Amino acid sequence: MDCSQARNQLSDFHDGTMDAAAAAALAAHLRGCGECAGADASFLAVRGFLRGLPPDPAPPELLPRVLAAVEAEDRNARPGSTHGGADTTIPFLSRFRVPLEAAAAVLLFASVYWYQQTYTPAARPPSGISSEAGKVSPSRPMAAREDTAKAAPTGIRPARENPKAAREIGPFMPKPRTWTADSLPSVPASLASTDSERIVPIAPPRPLSALPYGRDIVVDVKPESREGAEERIAETASRLGGIVERIEGERDPTGKGAGGAIRVLLPEAAAVGFLDELRRIGTVPPEVPPVAIDIPRGPQPGTVAYTVTLRVR
Amino acid sequence: MEGFRKGTPGAFEAIVRAHQDRVYSFCARMLSDREDALDAAQEVFLSAWRNLANFRGEAALSTWLLRIAANRCLNRIRRRKSLSEHEAPWPELPGETDEGIIFQPAGGEADRPDRLAETFEMGEILTKALSQLDPGSRWMVLLSDVEGFSYEEIAALADVPVGTVKSRLHRSRMAMRRLLSPVA
Protein backbone atom coordinates (compact mmCIF):
# COMPACT_ATOMS: atom_id res chain seq x y z
CA MET A 1 0.00 0.00 0.00
CA ASP A 2 1.43 3.39 -0.94
CA CYS A 3 0.90 6.66 0.92
CA SER A 4 -1.70 8.02 -1.51
CA GLN A 5 -3.84 4.91 -1.18
CA ALA A 6 -3.46 4.99 2.55
CA ARG A 7 -4.66 8.57 2.85
CA ASN A 8 -7.59 8.01 0.56
CA GLN A 9 -8.84 5.32 2.92
CA LEU A 10 -8.63 7.21 6.19
CA SER A 11 -12.33 8.04 6.34
CA ASP A 12 -13.36 4.47 5.72
CA PHE A 13 -10.76 3.30 8.20
CA HIS A 14 -12.08 5.49 10.99
CA ASP A 15 -15.71 4.88 10.04
CA GLY A 16 -15.03 1.15 10.42
CA THR A 17 -16.37 0.40 6.97
CA MET A 18 -13.26 -1.30 5.58
CA ASP A 19 -12.95 -5.04 5.47
CA ALA A 20 -10.61 -6.56 8.04
CA ALA A 21 -7.74 -7.32 5.66
CA ALA A 22 -7.66 -3.82 4.17
CA ALA A 23 -7.92 -2.25 7.61
CA ALA A 24 -5.03 -4.37 8.84
CA ALA A 25 -2.93 -3.37 5.82
CA LEU A 26 -3.66 0.32 6.40
CA ALA A 27 -2.90 0.01 10.09
CA ALA A 28 0.39 -1.61 9.25
CA HIS A 29 1.22 1.16 6.81
CA LEU A 30 0.41 3.82 9.38
CA ARG A 31 2.64 2.12 11.89
CA GLY A 32 5.51 2.13 9.46
CA CYS A 33 5.07 5.54 7.79
CA GLY A 34 5.58 8.59 9.93
CA GLU A 35 4.17 11.02 7.38
CA CYS A 36 0.98 9.10 6.91
CA ALA A 37 0.70 8.65 10.64
CA GLY A 38 0.95 12.43 10.98
CA ALA A 39 -1.67 12.92 8.29
CA ASP A 40 -3.89 10.43 10.07
CA ALA A 41 -3.44 12.26 13.35
CA SER A 42 -4.32 15.63 11.83
CA PHE A 43 -7.23 14.06 9.97
CA LEU A 44 -8.58 12.70 13.22
CA ALA A 45 -7.97 16.04 14.88
CA VAL A 46 -10.00 17.85 12.23
CA ARG A 47 -12.88 15.44 12.62
CA GLY A 48 -12.67 15.80 16.35
CA PHE A 49 -12.70 19.57 16.17
CA LEU A 50 -15.64 19.54 13.81
CA ARG A 51 -17.59 17.21 16.07
CA GLY A 52 -16.87 19.41 19.03
CA LEU A 53 -17.64 22.64 17.26
CA PRO A 54 -20.20 24.31 19.50
CA PRO A 55 -23.13 26.12 17.92
CA ASP A 56 -22.82 29.86 17.63
CA PRO A 57 -25.44 31.54 19.75
CA ALA A 58 -28.28 32.88 17.66
CA PRO A 59 -28.57 36.66 17.62
CA PRO A 60 -31.19 37.91 20.06
CA GLU A 61 -33.29 39.34 17.24
CA LEU A 62 -33.93 35.94 15.68
CA LEU A 63 -36.63 34.83 18.08
CA PRO A 64 -38.71 38.04 17.89
CA ARG A 65 -38.37 38.03 14.12
CA VAL A 66 -39.58 34.46 13.87
CA LEU A 67 -42.49 35.06 16.21
CA ALA A 68 -43.49 38.23 14.39
CA ALA A 69 -43.37 36.45 11.04
CA VAL A 70 -45.45 33.58 12.41
CA GLU A 71 -47.97 35.95 13.92
CA ALA A 72 -48.26 37.90 10.66
CA GLU A 73 -48.77 34.73 8.70
CA ASP A 74 -51.26 33.40 11.19
CA ARG A 75 -53.26 36.62 10.88
CA ASN A 76 -53.34 36.30 7.13
CA ALA A 77 -53.90 32.57 7.09
CA ARG A 78 -57.26 31.44 5.89
CA PRO A 79 -59.44 29.61 8.35
CA GLY A 80 -59.00 25.91 7.97
CA SER A 81 -55.65 26.10 6.27
CA THR A 82 -53.17 23.34 6.92
CA HIS A 83 -50.69 25.69 8.50
CA GLY A 84 -49.17 24.81 11.79
CA GLY A 85 -49.87 27.55 14.23
CA ALA A 86 -51.21 25.18 16.80
CA ASP A 87 -49.86 27.36 19.56
CA THR A 88 -52.20 30.10 18.55
CA THR A 89 -55.93 30.07 18.94
CA ILE A 90 -57.62 27.92 16.35
CA PRO A 91 -59.90 30.16 14.27
CA PHE A 92 -63.49 29.70 15.27
CA LEU A 93 -64.78 28.88 11.78
CA SER A 94 -62.08 26.29 11.11
CA ARG A 95 -63.60 24.08 13.78
CA PHE A 96 -66.65 23.76 11.57
CA ARG A 97 -64.75 23.32 8.36
CA VAL A 98 -65.89 19.82 7.49
CA PRO A 99 -69.55 20.36 8.44
CA LEU A 100 -69.63 23.60 6.48
CA GLU A 101 -68.15 21.97 3.42
CA ALA A 102 -70.55 19.08 3.67
CA ALA A 103 -73.47 21.48 4.03
CA ALA A 104 -72.27 23.43 1.01
CA ALA A 105 -72.08 20.27 -1.06
CA VAL A 106 -75.60 19.22 -0.05
CA LEU A 107 -76.92 22.70 -0.78
CA LEU A 108 -75.25 22.73 -4.19
CA PHE A 109 -76.70 19.33 -5.06
CA ALA A 110 -80.16 20.39 -3.95
CA SER A 111 -79.90 23.60 -5.96
CA VAL A 112 -78.92 21.77 -9.12
CA TYR A 113 -81.72 19.26 -8.64
CA TRP A 114 -84.30 21.98 -8.02
CA TYR A 115 -83.03 23.90 -11.00
CA GLN A 116 -83.36 20.88 -13.25
CA GLN A 117 -86.90 20.32 -12.06
CA THR A 118 -88.09 23.86 -12.43
CA TYR A 119 -85.89 25.54 -15.02
CA THR A 120 -87.49 26.71 -18.23
CA PRO A 121 -84.95 28.21 -20.56
CA ALA A 122 -85.54 31.72 -21.74
CA ALA A 123 -84.34 31.32 -25.26
CA ARG A 124 -84.14 28.75 -27.98
CA PRO A 125 -81.22 28.50 -30.31
CA PRO A 126 -82.32 30.13 -33.54
CA SER A 127 -81.15 27.21 -35.62
CA GLY A 128 -84.29 25.31 -34.73
CA ILE A 129 -86.64 28.12 -35.79
CA SER A 130 -87.63 28.83 -39.34
CA SER A 131 -89.49 31.84 -40.50
CA GLU A 132 -92.78 30.06 -40.06
CA ALA A 133 -94.21 29.42 -36.66
CA GLY A 134 -94.33 25.82 -35.64
CA LYS A 135 -91.62 24.62 -37.95
CA VAL A 136 -88.61 22.99 -36.47
CA SER A 137 -85.21 22.20 -37.72
CA PRO A 138 -84.94 19.09 -39.87
CA SER A 139 -82.26 17.92 -37.54
CA ARG A 140 -84.80 17.29 -34.82
CA PRO A 141 -86.22 13.80 -34.38
CA MET A 142 -89.23 12.91 -36.47
CA ALA A 143 -91.44 12.32 -33.44
CA ALA A 144 -90.68 15.74 -32.13
CA ARG A 145 -91.44 17.26 -35.50
CA GLU A 146 -94.81 15.54 -35.65
CA ASP A 147 -95.68 16.64 -32.15
CA THR A 148 -94.62 20.13 -32.90
CA ALA A 149 -96.62 20.26 -36.11
CA LYS A 150 -99.76 19.45 -34.17
CA ALA A 151 -99.19 22.45 -32.02
CA ALA A 152 -99.30 24.93 -34.91
CA PRO A 153 -100.00 27.75 -35.27
CA THR A 154 -99.19 28.87 -31.77
CA GLY A 155 -95.53 28.14 -32.05
CA ILE A 156 -93.27 25.47 -30.75
CA ARG A 157 -95.04 23.26 -28.35
CA PRO A 158 -93.57 23.32 -24.88
CA ALA A 159 -91.60 20.28 -23.96
CA ARG A 160 -93.48 19.90 -20.72
CA GLU A 161 -96.76 19.43 -22.52
CA ASN A 162 -95.31 16.69 -24.61
CA PRO A 163 -93.60 14.09 -22.44
CA LYS A 164 -92.37 12.14 -25.45
CA ALA A 165 -90.74 15.16 -26.99
CA ALA A 166 -89.46 16.21 -23.62
CA ARG A 167 -87.78 12.87 -23.24
CA GLU A 168 -86.15 13.12 -26.63
CA ILE A 169 -85.24 16.75 -26.54
CA GLY A 170 -84.10 16.83 -22.95
CA PRO A 171 -84.92 18.99 -19.95
CA PHE A 172 -83.10 22.09 -21.22
CA MET A 173 -85.12 22.65 -24.37
CA PRO A 174 -86.38 26.19 -24.76
CA LYS A 175 -89.50 27.74 -23.48
CA PRO A 176 -92.26 28.06 -26.09
CA ARG A 177 -92.28 31.30 -28.00
CA THR A 178 -95.16 32.94 -29.69
CA TRP A 179 -93.05 35.11 -31.97
CA THR A 180 -91.39 34.04 -35.15
CA ALA A 181 -87.78 34.26 -36.13
CA ASP A 182 -88.43 37.36 -38.20
CA SER A 183 -89.57 39.21 -35.16
CA LEU A 184 -86.22 38.72 -33.48
CA PRO A 185 -83.78 41.58 -33.62
CA SER A 186 -80.78 40.86 -35.71
CA VAL A 187 -77.21 41.48 -34.74
CA PRO A 188 -73.96 40.64 -36.48
CA ALA A 189 -72.45 37.39 -35.31
CA SER A 190 -69.24 39.11 -34.40
CA LEU A 191 -71.00 40.78 -31.50
CA ALA A 192 -72.09 38.83 -28.47
CA SER A 193 -75.75 38.00 -28.52
CA THR A 194 -76.93 38.61 -25.01
CA ASP A 195 -80.60 39.22 -25.44
CA SER A 196 -82.02 36.51 -27.64
CA GLU A 197 -81.21 38.36 -30.82
CA ARG A 198 -81.20 36.42 -34.00
CA ILE A 199 -77.64 35.81 -35.04
CA VAL A 200 -76.85 36.57 -38.64
CA PRO A 201 -73.56 35.06 -39.65
CA ILE A 202 -71.27 37.36 -41.53
CA ALA A 203 -69.76 35.97 -44.67
CA PRO A 204 -66.01 36.32 -44.38
CA PRO A 205 -64.40 38.41 -47.06
CA ARG A 206 -63.20 36.30 -49.90
CA PRO A 207 -59.44 36.27 -49.76
CA LEU A 208 -57.67 37.73 -52.69
CA SER A 209 -56.03 35.15 -54.85
CA ALA A 210 -52.39 34.60 -54.08
CA LEU A 211 -49.82 36.25 -56.31
CA PRO A 212 -46.34 35.00 -57.08
CA TYR A 213 -44.92 38.26 -55.83
CA GLY A 214 -45.37 40.58 -52.86
CA ARG A 215 -46.35 39.72 -49.33
CA ASP A 216 -49.54 39.26 -47.37
CA ILE A 217 -49.79 41.40 -44.27
CA VAL A 218 -52.47 41.10 -41.65
CA VAL A 219 -53.37 44.32 -39.87
CA ASP A 220 -55.42 44.10 -36.71
CA VAL A 221 -57.73 47.10 -36.44
CA LYS A 222 -60.03 48.07 -33.63
CA PRO A 223 -63.74 48.04 -34.44
CA GLU A 224 -63.92 51.81 -34.08
CA SER A 225 -61.07 52.27 -36.56
CA ARG A 226 -62.36 49.74 -39.01
CA GLU A 227 -64.57 51.96 -41.07
CA GLY A 228 -62.77 53.48 -43.98
CA ALA A 229 -59.52 51.65 -43.32
CA GLU A 230 -59.26 50.48 -46.93
CA GLU A 231 -59.68 54.01 -48.13
CA ARG A 232 -56.91 55.20 -45.87
CA ILE A 233 -54.61 52.48 -47.14
CA ALA A 234 -55.50 53.21 -50.74
CA GLU A 235 -54.98 56.92 -50.18
CA THR A 236 -51.59 56.25 -48.60
CA ALA A 237 -50.55 54.04 -51.48
CA SER A 238 -51.59 56.68 -53.99
CA ARG A 239 -49.84 59.42 -52.07
CA LEU A 240 -46.64 57.38 -52.05
CA GLY A 241 -46.79 56.94 -55.79
CA GLY A 242 -48.29 53.49 -55.78
CA ILE A 243 -51.45 52.02 -57.21
CA VAL A 244 -54.32 50.09 -55.72
CA GLU A 245 -54.80 46.89 -57.57
CA ARG A 246 -57.87 45.56 -55.84
CA ILE A 247 -60.06 46.04 -52.77
CA GLU A 248 -62.20 43.40 -51.13
CA GLY A 249 -64.32 43.48 -48.00
CA GLU A 250 -66.87 45.73 -46.32
CA ARG A 251 -69.48 43.00 -46.28
CA ASP A 252 -70.71 43.91 -42.85
CA PRO A 253 -73.54 46.46 -43.04
CA THR A 254 -72.24 48.24 -39.96
CA GLY A 255 -68.81 48.54 -41.52
CA LYS A 256 -67.22 47.76 -38.15
CA GLY A 257 -67.18 44.03 -37.86
CA ALA A 258 -65.98 42.76 -41.21
CA GLY A 259 -62.50 42.18 -42.41
CA GLY A 260 -61.24 43.31 -45.76
CA ALA A 261 -58.30 43.11 -48.07
CA ILE A 262 -56.52 45.51 -50.32
CA ARG A 263 -53.66 44.90 -52.71
CA VAL A 264 -51.26 47.70 -53.53
CA LEU A 265 -48.19 48.10 -55.72
CA LEU A 266 -45.62 50.65 -54.62
CA PRO A 267 -42.23 51.97 -55.59
CA GLU A 268 -39.63 50.18 -53.51
CA ALA A 269 -38.60 53.43 -51.81
CA ALA A 270 -42.14 53.92 -50.53
CA ALA A 271 -42.32 50.61 -48.66
CA VAL A 272 -41.14 52.00 -45.33
CA GLY A 273 -43.59 54.89 -45.36
CA PHE A 274 -46.40 52.59 -46.34
CA LEU A 275 -45.73 50.16 -43.49
CA ASP A 276 -45.51 53.08 -41.08
CA GLU A 277 -48.95 54.18 -42.17
CA LEU A 278 -50.25 50.64 -41.70
CA ARG A 279 -48.99 50.71 -38.13
CA ARG A 280 -50.94 53.89 -37.55
CA ILE A 281 -54.11 52.28 -38.85
CA GLY A 282 -53.75 49.12 -36.81
CA THR A 283 -51.33 46.63 -35.36
CA VAL A 284 -49.00 44.88 -37.72
CA PRO A 285 -48.04 41.52 -36.26
CA PRO A 286 -44.41 41.29 -35.24
CA GLU A 287 -43.79 38.40 -37.58
CA VAL A 288 -43.76 40.83 -40.50
CA PRO A 289 -40.05 41.23 -41.20
CA PRO A 290 -38.54 44.69 -41.19
CA VAL A 291 -38.67 46.17 -44.63
CA ALA A 292 -35.06 47.21 -44.41
CA ILE A 293 -34.14 43.56 -44.49
CA ASP A 294 -36.73 42.04 -46.73
CA ILE A 295 -38.58 44.05 -49.37
CA PRO A 296 -41.23 41.93 -51.05
CA ARG A 297 -40.62 42.31 -54.73
CA GLY A 298 -43.42 43.51 -56.93
CA PRO A 299 -44.17 42.40 -60.45
CA GLN A 300 -41.56 44.75 -61.91
CA PRO A 301 -38.06 45.57 -60.71
CA GLY A 302 -38.06 48.47 -58.26
CA THR A 303 -41.59 47.81 -57.04
CA VAL A 304 -43.03 46.16 -53.98
CA ALA A 305 -46.44 44.59 -53.51
CA TYR A 306 -48.51 44.09 -50.42
CA THR A 307 -51.82 42.38 -49.90
CA VAL A 308 -53.13 43.90 -46.70
CA THR A 309 -55.79 41.89 -44.93
CA LEU A 310 -57.75 43.76 -42.28
CA ARG A 311 -58.76 41.86 -39.22
CA VAL A 312 -61.07 43.40 -36.64
CA ARG A 313 -59.83 42.78 -33.11
CA MET B 1 -43.95 19.03 20.18
CA GLU B 2 -46.92 17.65 22.00
CA GLY B 3 -47.66 21.07 23.37
CA PHE B 4 -47.58 22.51 19.87
CA ARG B 5 -49.95 19.86 18.59
CA LYS B 6 -52.35 20.59 21.42
CA GLY B 7 -52.18 24.28 20.77
CA THR B 8 -50.44 25.14 24.01
CA PRO B 9 -49.63 28.84 23.98
CA GLY B 10 -45.92 29.44 23.75
CA ALA B 11 -45.12 25.91 22.57
CA PHE B 12 -43.74 27.07 19.27
CA GLU B 13 -41.69 29.76 20.96
CA ALA B 14 -40.18 27.05 23.15
CA ILE B 15 -39.25 25.04 20.08
CA VAL B 16 -37.56 28.04 18.51
CA ARG B 17 -35.68 28.78 21.72
CA ALA B 18 -34.48 25.18 21.94
CA HIS B 19 -33.20 24.94 18.38
CA GLN B 20 -32.35 28.45 17.29
CA ASP B 21 -28.64 28.18 18.09
CA ARG B 22 -28.12 25.03 16.05
CA VAL B 23 -30.19 26.26 13.15
CA TYR B 24 -28.60 29.69 13.12
CA SER B 25 -25.09 28.23 13.44
CA PHE B 26 -25.67 25.93 10.54
CA CYS B 27 -27.01 28.80 8.41
CA ALA B 28 -24.16 31.11 9.42
CA ARG B 29 -21.53 28.50 8.57
CA MET B 30 -23.19 27.73 5.28
CA LEU B 31 -23.75 31.30 4.21
CA SER B 32 -20.85 33.12 5.89
CA ASP B 33 -23.03 36.18 6.28
CA ARG B 34 -24.85 37.17 9.45
CA GLU B 35 -27.88 38.84 7.85
CA ASP B 36 -28.30 36.09 5.31
CA ALA B 37 -28.06 33.54 8.08
CA LEU B 38 -30.68 35.38 10.11
CA ASP B 39 -33.04 35.49 7.16
CA ALA B 40 -32.44 31.84 6.39
CA ALA B 41 -32.97 30.80 10.00
CA GLN B 42 -36.20 32.78 10.09
CA GLU B 43 -37.35 31.02 6.94
CA VAL B 44 -36.50 27.66 8.48
CA PHE B 45 -38.65 28.27 11.53
CA LEU B 46 -41.46 29.77 9.51
CA SER B 47 -41.44 26.75 7.23
CA ALA B 48 -41.36 24.51 10.28
CA TRP B 49 -44.32 26.35 11.76
CA ARG B 50 -46.29 25.83 8.56
CA ASN B 51 -45.53 22.13 8.49
CA LEU B 52 -45.06 21.21 12.10
CA ALA B 53 -48.54 19.79 12.34
CA ASN B 54 -47.55 17.29 9.63
CA PHE B 55 -44.24 16.41 11.26
CA ARG B 56 -44.56 12.73 12.12
CA GLY B 57 -41.56 12.50 14.37
CA GLU B 58 -39.78 9.84 12.32
CA ALA B 59 -36.59 11.83 12.82
CA ALA B 60 -35.58 14.09 15.64
CA LEU B 61 -37.01 17.56 15.41
CA SER B 62 -33.50 19.00 15.22
CA THR B 63 -32.69 16.71 12.29
CA TRP B 64 -35.82 17.83 10.51
CA LEU B 65 -35.02 21.49 11.13
CA LEU B 66 -31.47 21.07 9.87
CA ARG B 67 -32.75 19.39 6.73
CA ILE B 68 -34.93 22.41 6.08
CA ALA B 69 -31.98 24.65 6.85
CA ALA B 70 -29.74 22.80 4.40
CA ASN B 71 -32.28 23.21 1.63
CA ARG B 72 -32.85 26.85 2.39
CA CYS B 73 -29.16 27.65 2.51
CA LEU B 74 -28.40 25.82 -0.71
CA ASN B 75 -31.25 27.69 -2.39
CA ARG B 76 -29.81 30.96 -1.17
CA ILE B 77 -26.38 30.07 -2.41
CA ARG B 78 -27.79 29.11 -5.81
CA ARG B 79 -29.69 32.39 -5.93
CA ARG B 80 -26.56 34.30 -5.03
CA LYS B 81 -24.64 32.60 -7.78
CA SER B 82 -27.31 33.26 -10.34
CA LEU B 83 -27.57 36.91 -9.28
CA SER B 84 -23.86 37.51 -9.36
CA GLU B 85 -22.63 37.46 -12.91
CA HIS B 86 -19.07 38.14 -12.01
CA GLU B 87 -18.77 35.88 -9.05
CA ALA B 88 -15.46 34.13 -8.95
CA PRO B 89 -15.68 30.35 -8.99
CA TRP B 90 -15.25 28.57 -5.72
CA PRO B 91 -11.55 28.29 -5.08
CA GLU B 92 -10.09 24.92 -5.81
CA LEU B 93 -9.27 23.17 -2.64
CA PRO B 94 -5.60 22.74 -1.98
CA GLY B 95 -4.39 19.40 -3.10
CA GLU B 96 -7.66 18.51 -4.71
CA THR B 97 -8.16 17.71 -8.34
CA ASP B 98 -10.84 15.91 -10.24
CA GLU B 99 -8.86 12.75 -9.84
CA GLY B 100 -8.87 12.97 -6.08
CA ILE B 101 -6.49 13.97 -3.39
CA ILE B 102 -2.94 14.61 -4.45
CA PHE B 103 -0.52 13.29 -1.96
CA GLN B 104 1.35 15.97 -0.11
CA PRO B 105 3.74 15.32 2.71
CA ALA B 106 2.42 16.49 6.01
CA GLY B 107 3.86 19.60 7.55
CA GLY B 108 5.92 19.67 10.66
CA GLU B 109 4.69 19.16 14.17
CA ALA B 110 3.84 22.86 14.52
CA ASP B 111 1.46 22.67 11.55
CA ARG B 112 -0.72 20.08 13.14
CA PRO B 113 -4.22 21.47 13.59
CA ASP B 114 -4.42 20.39 17.19
CA ARG B 115 -1.33 22.46 17.87
CA LEU B 116 -2.77 25.41 16.04
CA ALA B 117 -5.85 25.15 18.15
CA GLU B 118 -3.83 26.08 21.13
CA THR B 119 -3.04 29.46 19.67
CA PHE B 120 -6.13 30.29 17.67
CA GLU B 121 -9.76 30.35 18.41
CA MET B 122 -10.70 26.99 16.97
CA GLY B 123 -14.24 27.97 16.11
CA GLU B 124 -13.06 30.84 13.97
CA ILE B 125 -10.41 28.75 12.30
CA LEU B 126 -12.82 26.00 11.47
CA THR B 127 -15.48 28.39 10.26
CA LYS B 128 -12.98 30.09 8.01
CA ALA B 129 -11.80 26.77 6.64
CA LEU B 130 -15.36 25.58 6.15
CA SER B 131 -16.20 28.71 4.21
CA GLN B 132 -13.54 27.75 1.69
CA LEU B 133 -15.18 24.47 0.85
CA ASP B 134 -17.61 24.55 -2.02
CA PRO B 135 -21.19 24.76 -0.76
CA GLY B 136 -22.07 21.34 -2.14
CA SER B 137 -19.47 19.77 0.14
CA ARG B 138 -19.75 22.23 3.00
CA TRP B 139 -23.26 21.28 3.98
CA MET B 140 -22.29 17.62 3.95
CA VAL B 141 -19.38 18.25 6.28
CA LEU B 142 -21.58 20.35 8.55
CA LEU B 143 -24.32 17.76 8.68
CA SER B 144 -22.00 14.79 8.99
CA ASP B 145 -19.12 15.91 11.14
CA VAL B 146 -20.71 18.74 13.10
CA GLU B 147 -24.31 17.62 13.39
CA GLY B 148 -23.79 13.86 13.34
CA PHE B 149 -26.03 12.94 10.41
CA SER B 150 -25.42 9.48 9.00
CA TYR B 151 -24.15 9.01 5.46
CA GLU B 152 -27.49 7.48 4.55
CA GLU B 153 -29.41 10.50 5.81
CA ILE B 154 -27.20 12.85 3.83
CA ALA B 155 -27.43 10.67 0.74
CA ALA B 156 -31.22 10.74 0.97
CA LEU B 157 -31.20 14.48 1.44
CA ALA B 158 -28.80 15.07 -1.46
CA ASP B 159 -30.42 12.38 -3.59
CA VAL B 160 -27.05 10.83 -4.40
CA PRO B 161 -25.62 7.39 -3.63
CA VAL B 162 -24.04 6.82 -0.23
CA GLY B 163 -20.71 6.18 -1.94
CA THR B 164 -20.78 9.66 -3.43
CA VAL B 165 -21.42 11.16 -0.02
CA LYS B 166 -18.54 9.21 1.48
CA SER B 167 -16.07 10.17 -1.21
CA ARG B 168 -17.08 13.83 -1.14
CA LEU B 169 -16.84 13.88 2.62
CA HIS B 170 -13.43 12.28 2.58
CA ARG B 171 -12.16 14.77 0.03
CA SER B 172 -13.60 17.63 2.06
CA ARG B 173 -12.08 16.37 5.30
CA MET B 174 -8.69 16.01 3.70
CA ALA B 175 -9.08 19.49 2.23
CA MET B 176 -10.01 20.81 5.66
CA ARG B 177 -6.87 19.20 7.03
CA ARG B 178 -4.81 21.00 4.43
CA LEU B 179 -6.66 24.25 4.86
CA LEU B 180 -6.03 24.18 8.56
CA SER B 181 -2.35 23.31 8.29
CA PRO B 182 -0.98 26.55 6.79
CA VAL B 183 -3.07 28.92 8.90
CA ALA B 184 -0.16 29.75 11.15
Side-chain angles (χ1 to χ4, degrees):
Chain A
M1 178 179 288
D2 63 25
C3 293
S4 179
Q5 285 174 330
R7 293 181 186 208
N8 283 336
Q9 293 178 345
L10 288 177
S11 279
D12 285 338
F13 182 64
H14 292 294
D15 287 339
T17 55
M18 288 175 78
D19 61 64
L26 179 56
H29 178 85
L30 292 177
R31 278 195 300 274
C33 176
E35 288 180 349
C36 283
D40 183 46
S42 57
F43 176 83
L44 275 178
V46 168
R47 286 189 76 171
F49 293 145
L50 286 170
R51 282 184 181 153
L53 191 62
D56 293 335
E61 62 263 40
L62 177 59
L63 180 64
R65 276 176 59 167
V66 169
L67 296 179
V70 163
E71 192 183 337
E73 185 155 318
D74 195 29
R75 258 200 316 272
N76 297 331
R78 288 172 298 164
S81 71
T82 55
H83 286 182
D87 61 335
T88 57
T89 307
I90 297 171
F92 178 75
L93 280 179
S94 66
R95 298 176 193 174
F96 305 99
R97 181 183 173 202
V98 172
L100 278 177
E101 285 173 356
V106 169
L107 192 61
L108 179 66
F109 180 78
S111 303
V112 171
Y113 182 74
W114 173 82
Y115 184 75
Q116 280 192 323
Q117 293 299 311
T118 59
Y119 173 69
T120 307
R124 170 179 172 73
S127 61
I129 303 174
S130 68
S131 58
E132 291 178 36
K135 283 191 180 176
V136 295
S137 163
S139 64
R140 292 186 62 195
M142 184 59 74
R145 265 187 262 166
E146 286 168 5
D147 290 340
T148 309
K150 289 176 190 170
T154 56
I156 298 170
R157 193 170 172 180
R160 277 171 175 277
E161 291 171 22
N162 183 352
K164 187 178 177 187
R167 236 185 355 263
E168 290 171 356
I169 298 170
F172 290 102
M173 285 308 289
K175 187 179 177 179
R177 295 285 189 183
T178 54
W179 60 61
T180 65
D182 288 338
S183 65
L184 293 171
S186 122
V187 66
S190 58
L191 301 177
S193 176
T194 57
D195 197 16
S196 304
E197 297 102 335
R198 183 163 56 93
I199 294 174
V200 181
I202 299 169
R206 184 166 54 86
L208 293 176
S209 56
L211 289 177
Y213 52 81
R215 172 167 296 106
D216 291 332
I217 297 179
V218 175
V219 177
D220 292 333
V221 293
K222 293 179 180 171
E224 59 268 25
S225 311
R226 171 66 186 85
E227 202 165 3
E230 286 100 335
E231 283 78 4
R232 287 182 66 186
I233 294 169
E235 187 188 334
T236 303
S238 302
R239 179 161 42 82
L240 295 171
I243 58 169
V244 178
E245 195 180 81
R246 192 168 174 185
I247 299 179
E248 287 278 343
E250 290 291 350
R251 290 172 187 270
D252 179 9
T254 67
K256 291 181 178 176
I262 179 166
R263 179 176 291 148
V264 299
L265 298 176
L266 298 162
E268 192 174 306
V272 175
F274 179 73
L275 287 174
D276 285 343
E277 181 61 24
L278 285 187
R279 289 188 179 94
R280 279 191 280 276
I281 292 171
T283 306
V284 178
E287 60 266 25
V288 175
V291 290
I293 300 170
D294 186 12
I295 301 291
R297 298 292 168 194
Q300 286 90 35
T303 64
V304 294
Y306 292 108
T307 301
V308 182
T309 303
L310 296 167
R311 193 167 59 181
V312 179
R313 286 283 167 94
Chain B
M1 262 310 294
E2 206 50 41
F4 181 83
R5 287 187 204 281
K6 289 177 181 169
T8 307
F12 182 69
E13 182 178 338
I15 290 173
V16 178
R17 280 187 192 281
H19 296 279
Q20 61 176 350
D21 288 354
R22 275 184 88 178
V23 169
Y24 171 78
S25 282
F26 179 86
C27 295
R29 287 165 186 161
M30 275 299 291
L31 300 170
S32 307
D33 181 274
R34 184 182 183 278
E35 283 306 310
D36 249 10
L38 257 175
D39 288 344
Q42 181 182 324
E43 284 176 14
V44 170
F45 285 114
L46 196 57
S47 172
W49 180 79
R50 289 178 189 139
N51 298 291
L52 209 48
N54 302 324
F55 174 63
R56 302 198 185 285
E58 286 141 357
L61 182 58
S62 58
T63 305
W64 184 62
L65 290 171
L66 287 170
R67 277 185 199 156
I68 301 174
N71 281 326
R72 295 282 166 168
C73 290
L74 287 172
N75 284 343
R76 280 179 170 265
I77 288 168
R78 283 188 205 111
R79 217 161 43 223
R80 267 187 206 166
K81 288 184 85 168
S82 66
L83 286 175
S84 166
E85 290 178 5
H86 306 293
E87 185 173 7
W90 291 96
E92 191 170 316
L93 300 174
E96 185 180 4
T97 67
D98 288 342
E99 289 77 35
I101 305 294
I102 296 173
F103 170 68
Q104 291 176 353
E109 182 73 6
D111 288 339
R112 280 180 51 176
D114 49 344
R115 296 285 180 272
L116 293 172
E118 295 169 7
T119 50
F120 288 89
E121 179 66 40
M122 181 48 71
E124 282 179 25
I125 296 169
L126 287 172
T127 303
K128 187 176 177 186
L130 279 167
S131 71
Q132 293 184 56
L133 298 178
D134 74 282
S137 301
R138 195 188 312 154
W139 72 274
M140 286 188 182
V141 171
L142 284 170
L143 288 184
S144 171
D145 290 345
V146 180
E147 302 295 345
F149 277 48
S150 68
Y151 294 149
E152 288 75 19
E153 282 177 309
I154 295 172
L157 202 55
D159 198 21
V160 295
V162 173
T164 305
V165 173
K166 286 167 108 175
S167 64
R168 285 178 77 174
L169 274 171
H170 179 72
R171 289 169 61 185
S172 303
R173 287 166 186 155
M174 294 303 275
M176 283 287 287
R177 191 183 71 85
R178 293 178 203 293
L179 285 165
L180 289 168
S181 295
V183 167

